[in-house]
Amino acid sequence: MGISAEESASLYSISIFTFVLWLCIVVGHLFVKHRWMNESVAAILIGLLSGTIIMFTSQGKSSRILVFSEDLFFIYLLPPIIFNAGFQVKKKHFFRNFITISLFGAVGTMISFIIISLGAYGIFRRFDIGQLELGDYLAIGAIFSATDSVCTLQVLNQDDTPLLYSLVFGEGVVNDATSVVLFKAIQNFDLQHVDASILFQLLGNFLYLFATSTLLGIAIGLLSAFCVKWIKFGMHSTDREVAHMILMAYFSYILADLLNLSGILTVFFCGIVMSHYTWHNVTEKSRVTTKHAFATLSFIAEIFIFLYVGMDALDIEKWKYVKNSPGQSIAVSSILIVLVMIGRAASIFPLSFLSNLTRKNPLLKINFNQQVIIWWAGLMRGAVSMALSYNQFTRSGYTQLRGNALMITSTITVVLFSTMVFGMLTKLLLKFLQPFESGNEIVESLPDLPNPNGIRNPLLENGKPISVFHGFFSSSDHGIHYYWRKFDNAYMRPLFGGRGFTPFVDGPPTDQMAV
């Protein structure tokens, strides 16, 4: 039975895209090996080059192989990235800085959203950019509040700079969730009758989604651990254990979307719980397999996204509506970049000041250099901004409205500029502002050593008083980490397994040792 012309074209496109994806991995590795640039920038450059070649070979009819789809991004590409982030994160550093992460990721995103929305509304109305309604301006605020710190995280090391890594990484996850929640809320609200209560509705909706999404992720993570511990998949097949973890992780994301919750938060906390309990319940073969499988899926999804952004940047259909006014397009993109920088500064520096009020020990405060790095890390825009922009201003990746086309091309410009310029300068900035010997990082990276005197005052650290609030959330003998460990060891691990649990493997002793 022969292949139809449509099927042949589809296979042709997929084969080319797969080859280019492989090329990104090879070239990206060479770039990273020689410290020229990170893999995200390399994928965008290869995407631009591929798009240029396709545009010439198709005589200007197209520059891409696949059509962008928000469903492709949100349903298939984003879940493995967020889950692996939760699965690989160092939980101790993350939860030690959870208050600050929440401030940056939730409150900071709201501040950026307000500044960008008001700035776009006040400035773009003076431009002749087509008909944009109030909902469009609010959507612009949510779109450009979504950070993309992939470039920074590729440079930061979780072991060398644990404080910075946990703050940048944690804020990125909470920021993505907050931006998506804001965007969905804007689309659902009746913006024809706006009053002062809309801000409280947005806040209440976010708090509800944050709490319920987190609890759902924790519940599914615990369910996966319970099943592995008591059903004992490893007695018969490690493949079942691996399949169980992958499917439960993906199920948490899909179920959250089905319930109109935040799938990003759900799958992230599901990853944290599964790494704390489920992963320790499976056999050694499954541990190695799942760790590398999740990391590989996340890596491929990230490269896929940046490659497609590079290809889609040259799409003729979008640019033909703004080709007669390139100066206006540049002006809109420049204004958006300035608004992003102002909104980011208005959130990070004041919130860092508030966070430092709870850190009485000077060694634990977020110093100015670290604040600059956190500010810089959030200037880059990426796939989430692209997906939200497509959702607001296009239908199936296409638009015939000049204002919408201008916002799409401006989003592409901001994403390319911020990733290429800010991303490539990140390593130099870190080298200049954050030497490894930073006092904060040394303190954060030290293990919790026992007190040689045998007695530790919960209100003193290095002879200096610290706040009760900080002591409660620290990992000291009287902190929340200590009481959580007691509760975890007494009640959670006997039921759900975890570190120290040795899974039973049926078979001869030689087979058990091989597992």
Side-chain angles (χ1 to χ4, degrees), residues 431-457:
K431 193 174 293 185
F432 178 72
L433 293 178
Q434 186 64 25
F436 174 69
E437 292 79 14
S438 171
N440 291 44
E441 299 301 347
I442 292 175
V443 170
E444 286 285 328
S445 61
L446 284 175
D448 294 327
L449 299 176
N451 189 349
N453 298 324
I455 300 175
R456 188 170 183 176
N457 190 333

Side-chain angles (χ1 to χ4, degrees), residues 308-323:
Y308 189 87
V309 168
M311 282 187 176
D312 198 57
L314 299 175
D315 181 45
I316 302 300
E317 289 295 323
K318 302 179 183 66
W319 291 100
K320 71 179 183 181
Y321 292 101
V322 297
K323 65 180 181 180

